[in-house]
Amino acid sequence: MAKKPKKQTGGTPATVALTAAGVTYTVHAYDHDPAHPSYGEEAAEAMGVSPERVFKTLVADVDGALTVAVVPVAGTLDLKALATAVGGKKAAMADPALAERTTGYVRGGISPLGQRKRLPTVLDASAGAHPTICVSAGRRGLEVELSPTDLASLTEAVLAPIGRA
């Protein structure tokens, strides 16, 4: 009698997706402070990583379609550049409740990986300057470090200059 494969347990949808894809990654956990003004800057400080290597996941509405933007926490998202990167005309930040429902993650813990519904994704071109970057692993206080090439491949991301310093 053949053994059934073990079901993936533990982790988040993001880490489960990374494990299933066979990608090399490192998980970084830290104690999240709800009073901190910036989730991304808090992650960079807690991990002792340059804010240029820690990327935040933002969900925007581009011409009526939800789109994921992954940009360094050290800067901001250029909405016009995001729209251009996906062939759109106008972009605005998505309603936070809609972003949470669509991705399956809570604000401050939205990961570009393992989302409930796969959304078009744009990764800021600056990611390519680093051997590894950190993104949310799917909950506040948990980051995953991986190569930007692997992140782009797994999310089928377009690389474009969408971040502003």
Side-chain angles (χ1 to χ4, degrees):
M1 182 175 201
K3 287 186 178 181
K4 284 185 178 177
K6 283 193 173 183
K7 197 173 183 183
Q8 189 73 286
T9 59
T12 65
T15 59
V16 168
L18 287 166
T19 300
V23 169
T24 300
Y25 67 96
T26 304
V27 173
H28 299 277
Y30 60 92
D31 291 325
H32 166 62
D33 175 6
H36 200 288
S38 166
Y39 297 118
E41 289 175 12
E42 176 191 27
E45 291 166 9
M47 295 185 305
V49 174
S50 163
E52 288 79 23
R53 280 190 50 229
V54 179
F55 283 63
K56 56 189 168 187
T57 306
L58 303 171
V59 180
D61 179 318
V62 179
D63 297 337
L66 291 182
T67 303
V68 172
V70 185
V71 296
V73 302
T76 59
L77 172 61
D78 181 335
L79 289 165
K80 189 171 182 111
L82 175 64
T84 299
V86 295
K89 293 183 182 195
K90 187 176 181 193
M93 294 307 298
D95 172 68
L98 178 60
E100 289 179 345
R101 275 194 315 273
T102 304
T103 64
Y105 293 117
V106 298
R107 198 166 55 95
I110 294 178
S111 177
L113 299 156
Q115 295 178 358
R116 184 177 290 148
K117 179 181 179 188
R118 182 180 280 221
L119 299 172
T121 302
V122 182
L123 175 60
D124 186 66
S126 69
H130 309 286
T132 61
I133 60 171
C134 298
V135 296
S136 176
R139 70 173 181 254
R140 296 173 189 153
L142 196 66
E143 293 281 310
V144 65
E145 182 176 352
L146 73 164
S147 83
T149 304
D150 285 340
L151 178 62
S153 175
L154 290 171
T155 59
E156 297 178 5
V158 171
L159 270 80
I162 59 167
R164 285 190 291 213

